[in-house]
Amino acid sequence: MSTQELASSASSPSPGPVDVEQAEAALVEHYPRLVRIAYLVLPPSLGRNRRVLTAHALVQRSLPRRRTSGAAAAVPGARRADEDAVDPGYAYVRGEVLRQALVAGLPLRRRALPRRAQFPPLLPQVWGLRLFPRAGGADELALDQRLSALSGPARAAYVLRGLERQGDPEVLRVLAAAGVEDPEAALAEADGVEGPGGSSGAALLESAEFDPCSLQARPTDLMRRRQHGKAALAAATAVVVCGALLGLPGDGWGRNGAAAPSYARNPAAEAALDPAGLKRVGAADWRASARTDFSVWPARGGLTGDSALLRRALAVWARPGPAVQTSATPGTPPGPPMGSPQLLFASEVDAARVVLFFDGLRVVRYAEPAGGTGGAVLDFARTDGADAVGSAALVVSRAGGNVRYLTAPWVREAAVRDLLLPEKAARVLTRDGYGVTEPIPSPATARGCTRWSALQVRDETGPRVLTDLGELAPARLTSGPPGRPADVTGAAARAEWARVACGLSAVRSHGVRSVNSWAYATQPLPEGAGRAEWSCARAETWRGTGSRALALFRVTGAAGATGGAGRPDPAGAAAPAGGPAALAARSEGSPACGPREPRVLAGVVWQAKSGQWYVLAAGSPDVASVALSGGVKGKAEGHLLAVKAAAGSRADLTGTLADGRLMGALR
């Protein structure tokens, strides 16, 4: 038959519509044959068990959803004389089975949506068994191997012609209706398949090897099934437990404000979050106590009776939500309270509701806007081991570049002193009835160093100087040798801090408990340019580790420049005569300038007015000699050294103690 005749047959008109009832009757009557067709057309790569289940699923999904026209149903047109008549309902269902089987054999593409037939079938399902047709002979096996080498459309053409006894025109029309792009190529590919022994192989398609309705059953992989069962049981248990925890009743984002959902329920945790369980110290208890620290601070403020505020503060402390701004000084654990904490303060300050707690290890500050609970802030600061001076004040508010302090009940007077103006008297601060000071400029948030406002508190033993370094607890300032530090009370101590106060910016937000400044050397400058003052400032931390030592260099009577400590660098920062000291060296974790090692050695590169560069070095009084090596060489007896150097020179600085031990420069 010619191509024109095939095309004419494929385009012949088809009968009328097919009812759902008619298609269902044909499906039930010819179910075994339709499943066999689907099984033969599906790709053998699916495996026999999945081919069986998929074949049944495709046939069961082949009924029309509504009355369907015959053009889409692939009803046969011109027939050969020896063919039996085909029922329109059967023709429609067979066409749907072929179409779905061909789609199921298509590979999944990355950018294309998968079709339903390409997924494993949801129904029918068999658990714990593998199903496959009965085994045939060598001829059936050989035919199955030949069919597996064909494309999906070619297998469909072979099945239509061999199993359904369809003529070539009808095969072409059915393939075209099933969505095959090139039916003639599929038919030509099917012509190349020969049955075993040179036969057509059509009779073998009726054998039990290709009957997915006559099946054998075997168990699946028992060991793997046991492992999967255990994993499924564990996953189900985890889902049930998590669902139960998430379903527990809780306050959530209601009266607890910005707190995250509760993650644990136990009596101790619940008691720690109950405002009624807060520890409250009486107003006069500190007078009779053997201790003078935060543990004897009374509960003060106008909102100490606001249970809703205290509940929110405790809940946010225990479970800060993602919208809460949380900060903690280095070495401070930010976890929930270990028990019912002590209430120190609760009141409205600078348009915010502020609550201060103490749990024996930390001071915790909770703040929220006075008009709502959004934008809550939670700050942690470690304060264990605080003495009367270390617990003399806490930062209660920072706003607009200013800071307010809450002073201890034993503080008789609070004043503000500018460390850069040592001769100017301190100005007394007003405090409200709760002990909150008026706002003063905060050096922790200031840009530049034009002034340094420190808090001076006076108790029954005398004045103390504290400074804000960006944390809840202000740092205590002292002056003198490491073994004998004293509070900044005299004119000499205030003059010393006027030179080094600007260096405190190097220890902001570092968990600093106290800073001691020690003027350890005075050095005559070369060429009669005046003298240089060397100081060492050591910052001790609340956590005990991470202390910082700063070597500071100040020129009086001339201009100079400073570089890196130990390894001089001419590209240093200017140190104008009479101005604040410049940072010469810094070390973290070093015992230098402290009670364990009350000595220090540092060096800088300085340029005289003549343009000549010098390496200047100074050690503490117990340094017997100083030596330079590397790019600049020199040695001097005593603890001072001045050696000419070229611009950009590099050198190593070492010192020798009176007992012969060597020490390196601070770095």
Side-chain angles (χ1 to χ4, degrees):
M1 182 176 293
S2 65
T3 304
Q4 290 78 4
E5 292 174 323
L6 291 176
S8 174
S9 176
S11 61
S12 60
S14 53
V18 176
D19 288 18
V20 175
E21 294 80 2
Q22 183 181 9
E24 182 181 15
L27 187 150
V28 172
E29 180 181 358
H30 302 287
Y31 185 82
R33 190 174 191 84
L34 292 169
V35 175
R36 184 188 291 264
I37 293 174
Y39 181 83
L40 288 167
V41 176
L42 286 171
S45 60
L46 295 178
R48 292 192 295 174
N49 180 75
R50 182 172 169 182
R51 282 176 71 191
V52 168
L53 297 179
T54 303
H56 283 272
L58 296 183
V59 174
Q60 295 173 16
R61 295 202 304 260
S62 297
L63 289 178
R65 297 183 180 180
R66 55 186 180 273
R67 296 175 63 89
T68 307
S69 66
V75 179
R79 306 295 304 272
R80 290 191 326 213
D82 58 345
E83 291 180 353
D84 296 329
V86 177
D87 175 64
Y90 173 76
Y92 173 84
V93 175
R94 183 186 63 186
E96 284 297 302
V97 169
L98 287 174
R99 182 184 62 80
Q100 295 183 80
L102 292 173
V103 170
L106 296 176
L108 293 173
R109 300 186 182 277
R110 181 174 299 178
R111 297 185 179 180
L113 292 177
R115 307 284 293 276
R116 181 182 179 186
Q118 293 176 278
F119 289 106
L122 296 177
L123 291 174
Q125 283 287 350
V126 178
W127 296 86
L129 290 175
R130 298 185 62 83
L131 303 178
F132 48 88
R134 297 180 179 276
D139 293 341
E140 288 84 352
L141 179 60
L143 179 60
D144 187 48
Q145 292 176 346
R146 290 183 174 91
L147 291 178
S148 65
L150 298 178
S151 63
R155 283 193 301 273
Y158 190 88
V159 170
L160 287 173
R161 191 159 56 181
L163 184 64
E164 292 290 277
R165 308 275 196 299
Q166 299 290 302
D168 288 353
E170 184 65 15
V171 170
L172 291 174
R173 198 191 64 80
V174 172
L175 290 178
V180 177
E181 294 182 357
D182 193 350
E184 295 185 8
L187 189 62
E189 185 180 358
D191 288 338
V193 177
E194 294 184 359
S199 64
S200 65
L204 296 178
L205 298 178
E206 302 278 358
S207 67
E209 172 75 16
F210 307 110
D211 184 7
C213 291
S214 179
L215 303 171
Q216 292 181 335
R218 293 291 186 273
T220 57
D221 190 332
L222 299 180
M223 293 302 297
R224 179 177 297 180
R225 188 170 69 187
R226 179 180 299 175
Q227 294 173 354
H228 289 177
K230 291 180 180 178
L233 179 61
T237 304
V239 170
V240 171
V241 171
C242 292
L245 291 177
L246 293 175
L248 286 175
D251 298 325
W253 283 85
R255 56 179 180 169
N256 288 343
S262 180
Y263 60 86
R265 294 285 183 179
N266 61 71
E270 290 296 325
L273 303 182
D274 186 3
L278 287 172
K279 299 175 183 177
R280 299 170 186 256
V281 177
D285 289 355
W286 65 273
R287 299 181 184 275
S289 174
R291 301 178 59 175
T292 310
D293 55 18
F294 291 113
S295 65
V296 295
W297 272 36
R300 292 174 288 175
L303 299 178
T304 55
D306 190 340
S307 297
L309 170 63
L310 299 179
R311 185 182 299 276
R312 288 195 302 273
L314 289 170
V316 172
W317 179 1
R319 309 183 307 275
V324 178
Q325 298 181 24
T326 304
S327 69
T329 58
T332 303
M338 296 172 287
S340 297
Q342 177 186 346
L343 177 63
L344 302 181
F345 179 81
S347 190
E348 186 170 326
V349 183
D350 292 333
R353 290 187 288 262
V354 180
V355 183
L356 292 175
F357 299 108
F358 176 64
D359 67 351
L361 174 68
R362 304 163 295 178
V363 169
V364 179
R365 176 181 177 270
Y366 169 81
E368 65 182 24
T373 60
V377 177
L378 191 66
D379 300 317
F380 296 86
R382 185 170 176 175
T383 56
D384 53 316
D387 55 11
V389 180
S391 59
L394 287 174
V395 172
V396 71
S397 172
R398 285 193 190 90
N402 296 325
V403 60
R404 291 180 186 264
Y405 296 96
L406 175 66
T407 56
W410 54 83
V411 172
R412 298 179 178 181
E413 181 186 85
V416 59
R417 177 181 292 280
D418 189 348
L419 294 181
L420 302 185
L421 300 176
E423 298 179 356
K424 184 178 180 180
R427 179 177 64 86
V428 177
L429 297 173
T430 59
R431 295 183 291 168
D432 63 15
Y434 305 127
V436 178
T437 69
E438 64 179 277
I440 63 174
S442 172
T445 58
R447 294 183 179 180
C449 188
T450 58
R451 64 180 174 183
W452 197 282
S453 299
L455 176 69
Q456 180 174 290
V457 296
R458 182 182 296 274
D459 57 17
E460 60 183 6
T461 62
R464 321 284 187 187
V465 177
L466 310 172
T467 186
D468 179 21
L469 293 179
E471 297 163 341
L472 289 179
R476 179 183 184 181
L477 302 183
T478 59
S479 179
R484 303 185 307 275
D487 286 292
V488 184
T489 56
R494 289 195 294 269
E496 167 65 17
W497 269 107
R499 295 189 291 268
V500 302
C502 291
L504 289 172
S505 58
V507 293
R508 288 174 179 166
S509 303
H510 191 61
V512 174
R513 178 174 185 169
S514 64
V515 184
N516 181 64
S517 177
W518 173 33
Y520 68 89
T522 300
Q523 180 180 22
L525 292 174
E527 303 182 13
R531 61 191 179 91
E533 296 175 345
W534 294 83
S535 300
C536 185
R538 181 175 178 84
E540 301 288 354
T541 65
W542 286 97
R543 62 189 182 277
T545 59
S547 300
R548 285 183 179 176
L550 311 176
L552 301 163
F553 174 80
R554 179 175 180 266
V555 175
T556 60
T562 64
R567 296 185 64 85
D569 186 349
L583 183 64
R586 178 173 65 179
S587 177
E588 183 165 339
S590 170
C593 298
R596 294 184 179 275
E597 189 176 319
R599 60 186 63 91
V600 65
L601 174 64
V604 296
V605 169
W606 175 80
Q607 187 179 29
K609 289 184 178 180
S610 64
Q612 176 64 50
W613 288 94
Y614 290 88
V615 176
L616 304 180
S620 49
D622 55 351
V623 176
S625 63
V626 182
L628 284 173
S629 60
V632 180
K633 300 184 184 299
K635 185 176 182 180
E637 296 298 325
H639 65 286
L640 302 176
L641 177 142
V643 177
K644 290 183 178 181
S649 298
R650 299 287 179 177
D652 292 317
L653 179 62
T654 57
T656 303
L657 301 177
D659 59 4
R661 290 181 298 160
L662 296 178
M663 66 174 295
L666 187 70
R667 64 180 63 199

